Structure formats: C-alpha cells, structure tokens
Amino acid sequence: LIPSGQVLDASAGFVAPAGSVIQVAQGFKTDTFSTASTTFLDVSGLSVTLTPTSSSSKFLIMANVTYLHTFYVGHIKLMRNSTEIGAADTAGSRPTYFLSYSNNINAQTDGPWMREGMDFLDSPNTTSAVTYKLQASSRRDGQGGTFYINRTFPDRDTSGYDARGVSSIV
C-alpha cells in the first residue's frame, strides 16, 4: 500500500511488487441509454482511461450492464481505444461480441431485463494512455427493435415496477 499523501512514481526509483494494483478507475452510468441503430455507438459514462506504467502492464476490465432489447437481440462491444477486445472466436455469421442479449420477447410485452457482468484481462503492450469503453447496438440484421440500458421497455412511472438500473465499467 502507498502511504496516504504519497504518489507512486517509477521515475523516483519506486518499483511496485509484481501483481500490485497501481491504478483503479470507474465509469458509473446512472442515466439511461437507448438505440435502434445497427451501428455500434459509444455508451456515455461507460468508459475509463488508464496509463500503463510499463509495456507489460495488464488491466482487469470489469463491466456490469443492466439492459434489454425489445426484439430478441442486442449487443455490447468492449473497446480498447478503437480496437474491439474480449470477443468470442468467429463462427460463421454468428454474433461474437463481449456481451449479447438474446431473449424471446417482443415490443408487445414488458419482457425481462438483464444485469450481466463480464471481466477481461487485457495486455495493451504500450505505455501510452488507453481508453476502455463499451459500445452498444440494436439487432444487427436490420430486423428492428430498440436496445435499452438502465431502463425497462415500457419505462412506466410507477412505484411497483419498471425500475431504473445502473451500469459500470471498472
């Protein structure tokens, strides 16, 4: 642990023991997001920027997202700067994103919403600042629907249901 008021400074000769946690950053989203776009869009509030202390630095990215899609499928990408990371292996034309929502509901029903978490250990191999962010898109085959984060589909102003949620990236 670093004593209170002191800064970790490699240029001053301080070297942290292997496995030390040197930086922690959080993006915490309390408002809502929605898109019917088939193009991936940045989700405001769900990004962090870190600067590696060496080219061998590793970052553990933990994302928790509350979301749903009104027509079966929605997708979330994890990005390092402009590069997608944490995706599954390509398998034909199947979606392979960091998080994908797939459920048998449609816009005529309330449908369940999901709270999912995913972790990814990244080795960016750089000493330049790195931005990790989440991007979301609606159903990619153009069949319609809307992807929501932190809200239900009907979003009715009631005290018994249609709650709001939160999402984060650490």
Side-chain angles (χ1 to χ4, degrees):
L1 295 176
I2 302 169
S4 179
Q6 292 187 7
V7 177
L8 177 66
D9 186 356
S11 66
F14 178 84
V15 178
S20 296
V21 174
I22 298 172
Q23 298 177 66
V24 177
Q26 178 185 42
F28 195 75
K29 184 169 187 62
T30 59
D31 61 348
T32 64
F33 169 90
S34 64
T35 184
S37 174
T38 58
T39 301
F40 279 93
L41 305 172
D42 292 352
V43 180
S44 66
L46 294 181
S47 68
V48 293
T49 299
L50 301 163
T51 303
T53 57
S54 76
S55 60
S56 63
S57 292
K58 295 181 183 209
F59 294 116
L60 177 60
I61 308 303
M62 299 178 290
N64 286 282
V65 184
T66 303
Y67 64 99
L68 71 80
H69 192 277
T70 60
F71 192 59
Y72 304 111
V73 179
H75 307 289
I76 295 176
K77 281 185 180 180
L78 173 61
M79 306 294 291
R80 179 201 322 118
N81 297 328
S82 60
T83 302
E84 181 182 6
I85 58 175
D89 289 342
T90 301
S93 59
R94 295 172 186 87
T96 60
Y97 308 110
F98 185 63
L99 286 171
S100 286
Y101 175 88
S102 182
N103 194 37
N104 188 16
I105 66 166
N106 61 49
Q108 303 306 311
T109 66
D110 293 345
W113 63 340
M114 309 290 285
R115 171 87 174 158
E116 287 197 71
M118 285 287 289
D119 302 329
F120 183 75
L121 184 62
D122 188 40
S123 301
N125 194 27
T126 184
T127 56
S128 299
V130 178
T131 298
Y132 293 96
K133 63 185 176 181
L134 298 182
Q135 293 183 331
S137 84
S138 185
R139 190 171 170 156
R140 308 267 304 147
D141 60 5
Q143 296 297 310
T146 303
F147 188 83
Y148 295 105
I149 293 179
N150 293 347
R151 59 161 280 195
T152 62
F153 160 66
D155 199 34
R156 295 166 290 204
D157 189 6
T158 66
S159 61
Y161 45 89
D162 290 338
R164 291 284 175 95
V166 295
S167 298
S168 65
I169 184 170
V170 176

